[in-house]
């Protein structure tokens, strides 16, 4: 059975630096009829559990540790036995949301997460957050970017732990080098492709944020 990608939108709040905003998050489930991984357990563990159903959840992968992307991870892990994976550079952000709970395992650049016969390769893409990662699957032709790259440009870098020149370097060196037809599945909002975003790099740099 070929792996497939399922999409769930959950709603809640993002809080950092004393501000709080209402947000809708994309939750991605990659798997087949038997097993799956969840990318970004946002806001609503019950909704994610319902979408996973009776499949074995093998991993909860965090693209970064902003609270809106990890808020439901511990409850989902406790309900399923799946490990929570996070890049260690994002532990300071993680601890803002879950001070009493550590992630179960650390993501590393180049690591491969296998599920349902497909391989998700971890690309460390700091900038929006120090430990931000994207997950690339050439077999499915998709890149899960979290909040690193969106339809229309890079993720926000105006708050703590973020850095605009770093996110530009990550996108330029790690993401825009991928095949142009690669579908970009983001942490919020609509999908895009590498080919649709690549021509706008200089505009983003000129804009400077």
């Amino acid at each position: 059975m070929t792996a497939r990608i399922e999409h769930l939108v959950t709603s809640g709040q993002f809080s950092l630096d004393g501000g709080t905003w209402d947000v809708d998050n994309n939750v991605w489930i990659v798997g087949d009829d038997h097993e799956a991984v969840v990318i970004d357990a946002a806001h609503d563990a019950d909704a994610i559990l319902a979408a996973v159903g009776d499949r074995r959840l093998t991993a909860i992968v965090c693209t970064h540790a902003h609270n809106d992307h990890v808020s439901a991870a511990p409850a989902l892990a406790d309900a399923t036995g799946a490990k929570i994976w996070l890049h260690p550079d994002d532990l300071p952000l993680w601890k803002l949301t879950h001070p009493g709970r550590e992630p179960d395992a650390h993501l590393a650049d180049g690591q491969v997460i296998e599920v349902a016969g497909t391989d998700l390769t971890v690309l460390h893409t700091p900038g929006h957050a120090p430990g931000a990662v994207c997950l690339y699957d050439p077999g499915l032709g998709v890149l899960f970017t979290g909040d690193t790259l969106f339809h229309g440009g890079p993720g926000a870098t105006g708050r703590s732990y973020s850095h605009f020149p770093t996110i530009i370097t990550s996108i330029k060196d790690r993401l825009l080098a991928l095949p142009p037809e690669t579908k970009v599945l983001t942490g919020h909002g609509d999908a895009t492709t590498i080919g649709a975003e690549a021509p706008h790099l200089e505009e983003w740099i000129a804009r400077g944020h």
Side-chain angles (χ1 to χ4, degrees), residues 174-196:
R174 305 303 306 274
L175 305 188
L176 299 187
L178 298 174
E181 65 274 15
T182 303
K183 192 168 186 183
V184 174
L185 302 179
T186 60
H188 308 270
D190 296 333
T192 182
T193 65
I194 291 296

Side-chain angles (χ1 to χ4, degrees), residues 25-119:
N25 283 62
N26 294 326
V27 179
W28 301 101
I29 302 170
V30 183
D32 57 16
D33 289 345
H34 307 291
E35 64 177 14
V37 301
V38 164
I39 300 168
D40 286 346
H43 306 303
D44 191 338
D46 289 340
I48 300 168
L49 275 170
V52 171
D54 59 2
R55 291 177 286 181
R56 183 169 66 96
L57 190 63
T58 60
I60 301 161
V61 183
C62 307
T63 62
H64 63 294
H66 283 152
N67 73 291
D68 56 320
H69 291 257
V70 301
S71 52
L76 187 62
D78 291 346
T80 61
K83 283 186 175 181
I84 301 168
W85 290 82
L86 177 74
H87 193 282
D89 289 356
D90 256 23
L91 283 171
L93 277 167
W94 170 273
K95 287 172 182 172
L96 295 177
T97 304
H98 302 301
R101 169 80 175 254
E102 293 283 323
D104 300 303
H106 289 167
L107 294 170
D109 187 62
Q111 175 183 350
V112 175
I113 295 167
E114 194 277 333
V115 61
T118 196
D119 292 334

Side-chain angles (χ1 to χ4, degrees), residues 101-178:
R101 169 80 175 254
E102 293 283 323
D104 300 303
H106 289 167
L107 294 170
D109 187 62
Q111 175 183 350
V112 175
I113 295 167
E114 194 277 333
V115 61
T118 196
D119 292 334
L120 300 167
T121 298
V122 176
L123 306 177
H124 182 211
T125 52
H128 180 71
V133 302
C134 298
L135 300 169
Y136 177 49
D137 188 329
L140 294 174
V142 297
L143 176 73
F144 299 94
T145 55
D147 288 1
T148 294
L149 178 63
F150 290 108
H151 176 62
T157 52
R159 303 191 184 98
S160 297
Y161 301 98
S162 64
H163 189 242
F164 180 75
T166 301
I167 202 172
I168 288 294
T169 298
S170 291
I171 292 170
K172 180 161 132 338
D173 294 351
R174 305 303 306 274
L175 305 188
L176 299 187
L178 298 174

